[in-house]
Amino acid sequence: LGTTDVFAANVGRKGVEIVQNSVSERRTPALVGFTGRRRLLGDEALAQVKSNYKNTCRGIKHLVGRAWEEKEVEAERLWSLCTLARAEHGDVGYEISYRGADQCVSATVCLSMLVTYIVATCQAWTKMDVNEVVLAIPSYYTEPVRQACLDALRIAGVQCLRLLHESTAIALAWRFERRSFEDASPVTVAFCSAGHSGLMVAVAR
């Protein structure tokens, strides 16, 4: 789950493969859009963002699980395309117009929509049912934010095997690719996760 894009990977016999979506891209825009008739996810939301920016939700990674009163929410106002508002349970939501009605959709619900789309993409790529996922999240996520991620996965109808730090996920991917790891001499490796708005480093010995 990135600030601007979402990536999904499948671990198989060939190692770690980044899943392609319906437009043959290995990254999917982390956007959720709404029109008068339907909702748009990923590349569809990006395609109409200029003409429908007031109904396009972005910054989901930074807003999911955040209480409306948190100072980080104020900073996200500058980057949000649509208006932010207090959602039903006191968390952050997006004010949008959907099917002729003004609504406030929480960032948690938007994340669940994205997860549903990514799971469907994975199923089309692997030609298998996907019922369990591991979600990579930043290490700075607080307990309420982590719980909101779990809620989003539950709403999406999938079981979360684990919430994994992004740098840890990189280390595991490297391990899957390096099959001769057991035969190598001891090493110390730094794994860097360079994101759109932050940098995290983990060291494995």
Side-chain angles (χ1 to χ4, degrees), residues 43-177:
D43 289 284
E44 282 192 332
L46 180 63
Q48 55 82 64
V49 68
K50 290 184 179 180
S51 61
N52 192 38
Y53 67 92
K54 289 186 177 181
N55 287 310
T56 302
C57 308
R58 60 166 291 183
I60 298 171
K61 177 178 181 177
H62 295 283
L63 294 175
V64 61
R66 296 286 187 184
W68 176 248
E69 297 80 10
E70 292 187 46
K71 61 180 181 180
E72 289 83 2
V73 176
E74 187 64 31
E76 288 300 317
R77 287 176 180 271
L78 299 174
W79 305 103
S80 181
L81 297 174
C82 55
T83 303
L84 300 182
R86 180 194 291 269
E88 181 180 1
H89 300 292
D91 53 343
V92 182
Y94 302 91
E95 288 187 347
I96 54 96
S97 178
Y98 180 45
R99 294 184 175 179
D102 293 334
Q103 303 179 31
C104 182
V105 181
S106 71
T108 302
V109 171
C110 284
L111 177 57
S112 72
M113 295 177 184
L114 266 181
V115 170
T116 301
Y117 177 72
I118 294 299
V119 167
T121 299
C122 292
Q123 291 182 151
W125 172 260
T126 62
K127 294 181 172 53
M128 297 174 61
D129 291 336
V130 177
N131 301 310
E132 300 172 331
V133 300
V134 174
L135 181 65
I137 61 173
S139 57
Y140 59 78
Y141 267 12
T142 62
E143 189 58 36
V145 176
R146 290 169 183 259
Q147 184 58 54
C149 290
L150 293 174
D151 291 340
L153 294 173
R154 177 181 52 79
I155 294 171
V158 293
Q159 179 183 356
C160 180
L161 297 180
R162 187 169 182 176
L163 296 177
L164 201 64
H165 290 167
E166 291 169 348
S167 50
T168 304
I170 296 172
L172 286 174
W174 177 80
R175 170 63 186 88
F176 279 116
E177 294 292 339

Side-chain angles (χ1 to χ4, degrees), residues 3-22:
T3 302
T4 58
D5 297 292
V6 182
F7 297 85
N10 175 61
V11 180
R13 293 180 179 178
K14 297 181 180 180
V16 180
E17 294 181 297
I18 305 300
V19 175
Q20 289 186 357
N21 60 21
S22 59

